[in-house]
Amino acid sequence: DVGRAPDQMPSPELARLPNVIATPHIGGLTPPASESQAMDTVRQVQALLKGEMPPGAVNAAIWSRRP
């Protein structure tokens, strides 16, 4: 996931690797991706409202809203 700004571009060394595919950030704006992101947000908010850890929580080990 890259942009056009110099700090968002992969380094030449990274870009040369055969297992690297750099795509523009807009790749995540397809209708199926937008729907999936919206539904993930709904599931996360539902979990929070129930006092549960949201699915996919990044900082699960330090989550402080335990029931």
Side-chain angles (χ1 to χ4, degrees):
D1 186 17
V2 299
R4 292 181 185 224
D7 65 337
Q8 296 172 341
M9 301 289 283
S11 68
E13 296 80 17
L14 180 63
R16 271 195 294 272
L17 294 174
N19 60 341
V20 170
I21 299 173
T23 61
H25 190 68
I26 196 164
L29 296 179
T30 63
S34 295
E35 181 178 348
S36 176
Q37 292 166 9
M39 295 310 295
D40 281 346
T41 300
V42 169
R43 283 188 286 276
Q44 291 170 358
V45 170
Q46 286 174 329
L48 288 170
L49 292 173
K50 293 179 194 173
E52 300 171 353
M53 185 182 313
V58 176
N59 297 328
I62 61 169
W63 184 55
S64 61
R65 292 187 179 199
R66 300 187 192 283

